[in-house]
Amino acid sequence: MKITFHNQMTDAHFVAIPVVEENKIAKIVGPQAASFKSVEGLFTRLNFQGKKGKTLLVPHTNSASPIFFGLGDEKKLAFKDLAEIGAAIYRSSTSLKEKKIAIDLRELKLSVAEAGVVASEIALGAILRSYQYLTYITKKHDELKLALEEIEIITHDTEGSKKAFVRGDAIAKATFMARDLMCMPPNDLYPESMAKELLKLKDIGIDVEVIDEKQMAAEGMGAILAVGRGSARPPRLVIMKWNGGTKGEKPLAFVGKGITFDTGGISLKPGSKMDEMKMDMGGSAIVSALMKTLALRKAKVNAVGVVALAENMPDGAAYRPGDIVRTLSGQTIEVLNTDAEGRVVLADALWYTQDKFAPSHIIDLATLTGAIIVALGHEMAGTFSNEDTLANDLFKAGEKVGERVWRLPLDPSYNKLIDSTVADVRNTSIAGAGSITAAEFLQRFVNKTTWCHIDIAGVTWTPSDTPLSGKNPTGFGIRLLDEWVHRFHESK
Ligand code: BES
Ligand code: ZN
Ligand code: ZN
């Protein structure tokens, strides 16, 4: 989707026009109010009150046809609503055969953000909602592809909007990359091919290094090697560095679980919906996309992304329940369930990250447990942290952009549930608290570093639409972490 900015109406045949709700009555905002006075009079009869996210398309023969979009009560409008409103405008266009539409934001003044940022957020929401994955469709490709290719934003502040949209554009491009990676079938996306994809990030100034299975063995990464052993596709660890901050400043580190397919291994998963486990590399897709965002918008921060890529397969060579594996940290893991593989690969990735880069913070993202879906459903991700400020900052960032997180406890009483009698730690809990004990397991591999684990199992791949995505891959975490970096860690 192309976004262009203009300071007056263009030749677009459809124009989205903002409408606010005042005492249940819809009022058109901006210079088009006069020309559509007669339609405004019909709003009540058309049952259109200008509620937030509602749209009304009125075909018009003499001028551009208006698509009225509701902002609801202006006073109640939150920042996260802006992108959702953009997405609603996009949705209203999907019934059209038009290649472009305009959105008239002139004279729209909102207290939640400056005009340029408002324009950028609305544009971003529209783009995010326009995502389609049609790569493998050969026959019905043209039929399925939606027509809209360009959105023209009409604004008095074209310069401010363009400037703000540098960030929106970066997020949009990165989100599409993450969604593509998650949708890619596991016969084509495996550790080596994903590493190859990530090497392309070099083109935008990210330093990318790939560690293969031989180097892993030499370094002593017994955990990630154990998980990858059952697959014909060997594991990879990919390190991405963006140095936009002051020289010598400790980096922020992001670590991602990248199981390109999770069969469960010898502890095989049931067959139903197993195909969805191609999204078990979601954490690594989000970490990579965040690095891409930071590079594209030239963030003034030092960041490192580390993704642990492996395929979890049952095989003669596969690791088994009962195995004890030696991790990079020196600690040994008793494997009780090969389906609890995410924490095993992360053990090496987390240790490597804190040891090699001495980061100021580590945030890991992982589709780690089914239990987090039991607890929080598909609405919020779970956070687990050894530091209150970090947990609170992530909460604030999430509330602002609408990628919400909820903190769950870490506590020694849970940590002891993963003590093993034959090794240092076991990879499943003795009893209950599946998401918390998984986080406790990870905590044993971050040493003293300020750290937060985000369990994104429920929010990465959703069974039905979210405001900014159709069903399936969401891209959850990119906006959350970009906002966290921007607000709390970027030199201004
Ligand atoms: N990848 C799964 C977790 C998952 C479940 C992600 C559903 C997305 C949707 C993970 O590797 C897993 O299988 N975890 C097990 C752990 C258990 C064996 C201790 C689980 O949650 O059942
Ligand atoms: Zn698993
Ligand atoms: Zn998994």
Side-chain angles (χ1 to χ4, degrees):
M1 179 81 60
K2 199 165 118 199
I3 304 288
T4 52
F5 298 94
H6 311 259
N7 52 26
Q8 55 186 23
M9 252 319 274
T10 62
D11 61 353
H13 295 142
F14 289 85
V15 56
I17 298 171
V19 170
V20 292
E21 182 189 4
E22 280 173 17
N23 305 320
K24 297 215 163 33
I25 309 282
K27 285 239 164 350
I28 300 173
V29 182
Q32 313 248 17
S35 28
F36 293 110
K37 217 51 242 141
S38 57
V39 187
E40 199 179 46
L42 293 173
F43 279 164
T44 315
R45 261 189 271 164
L46 290 166
N47 196 24
F48 181 68
Q49 287 104 17
K51 290 210 181 306
K52 188 171 70 193
K54 292 274 183 274
T55 56
L56 174 72
L57 192 153
V58 182
H60 209 272
T61 45
N62 303 330
S63 66
S65 300
I67 304 169
F68 297 105
F69 64 93
L71 301 171
D73 178 353
E74 248 185 285
K75 288 189 288 296
K76 290 194 191 135
L77 202 72
F79 185 84
K80 71 174 182 60
D81 297 332
L82 297 170
E84 295 186 9
I85 284 163
I89 296 171
Y90 179 81
R91 274 203 313 279
S92 74
S93 82
T94 53
S95 57
L96 305 175
K97 271 245 162 292
E98 290 289 302
K99 281 207 163 98
K100 68 173 186 185
I101 62 165
I103 305 179
D104 192 348
L105 300 176
R106 288 173 293 177
E107 270 130 71
L108 179 67
K109 287 191 185 66
L110 298 172
S111 51
V112 280
E114 296 162 16
V117 176
V118 170
S120 168
E121 281 297 307
I122 290 178
L124 173 60
I127 308 178
L128 292 181
R129 200 65 176 75
S130 76
Y131 179 78
Q132 292 184 284
Y133 188 68
L134 301 174
T135 313
Y136 288 81
I137 307 250
T138 63
K139 289 194 173 148
K140 289 190 180 167
H141 191 278
D142 294 348
E143 204 178 303
L144 290 169
K145 193 166 173 6
L146 294 165
L148 199 68
E149 287 170 2
E150 180 178 352
I151 295 176
E152 300 174 327
I153 305 271
I154 320 294
T155 168
H156 288 317
D157 187 11
T158 49
E159 284 318 302
S161 301
K162 280 182 197 161
K163 206 169 148 235
F165 190 62
V166 169
R167 191 168 167 206
D169 188 43
I171 291 172
K173 291 196 170 101
T175 304
F176 275 35
M177 176 186 85
R179 289 178 182 172
D180 282 349
L181 289 170
M182 286 187 266
C183 288
M184 237 172 122
N187 54 329
D188 282 346
L189 193 82
Y190 43 89
E192 222 175 330
S193 64
M194 183 156 165
K196 210 168 145 198
E197 269 317 300
L198 299 184
L199 278 167
K200 292 184 189 157
L201 294 173
K202 280 183 170 179
D203 297 346
I204 55 167
I206 297 175
D207 184 20
V208 188
E209 187 194 343
V210 179
I211 295 187
D212 67 14
E213 71 274 27
K214 287 179 212 74
Q215 290 162 280
M216 286 178 182
E219 295 250 13
M221 298 184 184
I224 181 165
L225 282 168
V227 173
R229 198 154 284 139
S231 170
R233 315 286 202 181
R236 291 287 180 270
L237 191 82
V238 181
I239 298 132
M240 295 158 276
K241 284 188 214 142
W242 168 251
N243 292 317
T246 354
K247 222 179 151 125
E249 192 170 64
K250 284 185 169 189
L252 303 172
F254 303 93
V255 176
K257 167 177 171 180
I259 300 299
T260 56
F261 195 66
D262 183 11
T263 64
I266 298 299
S267 315
L268 195 65
K269 284 184 182 294
S272 151
K273 294 201 188 157
M274 198 203 271
D275 60 290
E276 293 191 349
M277 281 302 136
K278 68 175 182 177
M279 57 65 116
D280 210 21
M281 33 56 73
S284 66
I286 300 306
V287 165
S288 311
L290 176 71
M291 297 305 293
K292 179 167 177 155
T293 306
L294 298 177
L296 285 177
R297 69 173 185 79
K298 300 200 166 30
K300 293 193 187 69
V301 72
N302 294 335
V304 52
V306 176
V307 297
L309 310 176
E311 187 182 43
N312 189 21
M313 297 287 273
D315 176 79
Y319 82 138
R320 350 161 167 61
D323 280 4
I324 296 178
V325 302
R326 190 172 297 276
T327 66
L328 180 64
S329 72
Q331 297 174 81
T332 52
I333 301 172
E334 181 191 9
V335 176
L336 286 145
N337 189 321
T338 62
D339 197 11
E341 83 299 334
R343 66 198 76 181
V344 179
V345 300
L346 287 172
D348 278 348
L350 287 167
W351 187 267
Y352 180 83
T353 303
Q354 59 84 28
D355 190 47
K356 194 101 177 170
F357 307 111
S360 63
H361 299 73
I362 299 182
I363 297 179
D364 78 74
L365 288 107
T367 50
L368 206 63
T369 66
I372 203 70
I373 308 177
V374 178
L376 299 173
H378 303 285
E379 311 305 320
M380 297 188 191
T383 53
F384 306 81
S385 183
N386 57 6
E387 213 256 346
D388 294 344
T389 307
L390 175 55
N392 292 338
D393 289 352
L394 282 166
F395 174 78
K396 286 181 207 155
E399 289 297 301
K400 176 162 180 193
V401 301
E403 290 185 343
R404 307 177 69 195
V405 299
W406 197 258
R407 190 179 186 184
L408 288 152
L410 289 170
D411 190 82
S413 60
Y414 291 111
N415 197 283
K416 69 176 192 311
L417 300 179
I418 51 168
D419 280 335
S420 163
T421 50
V422 290
D424 297 325
V425 63
R426 41 185 286 153
N427 82 332
T428 58
S429 158
I430 292 173
S435 301
I436 301 171
T437 48
E440 292 287 357
F441 179 100
L442 299 182
Q443 191 175 20
R444 294 195 184 198
F445 297 89
V446 293
N447 242 344
K448 296 269 179 280
T449 312
T450 301
W451 154 81
C452 184
H453 156 59
I454 312 185
D455 194 334
I456 55 171
V459 294
T460 294
W461 191 267
T462 51
S464 49
D465 287 25
T466 71
L468 300 185
S469 59
K471 68 182 170 96
N472 300 158
T474 59
F476 183 107
I478 302 169
R479 300 184 68 214
L480 166 72
L481 294 176
D482 181 63
E483 177 64 19
W484 176 76
V485 169
H486 178 71
R487 184 144 148 217
F488 300 106
H489 296 283
E490 208 170 337
S491 17
K492 299 278 161 16

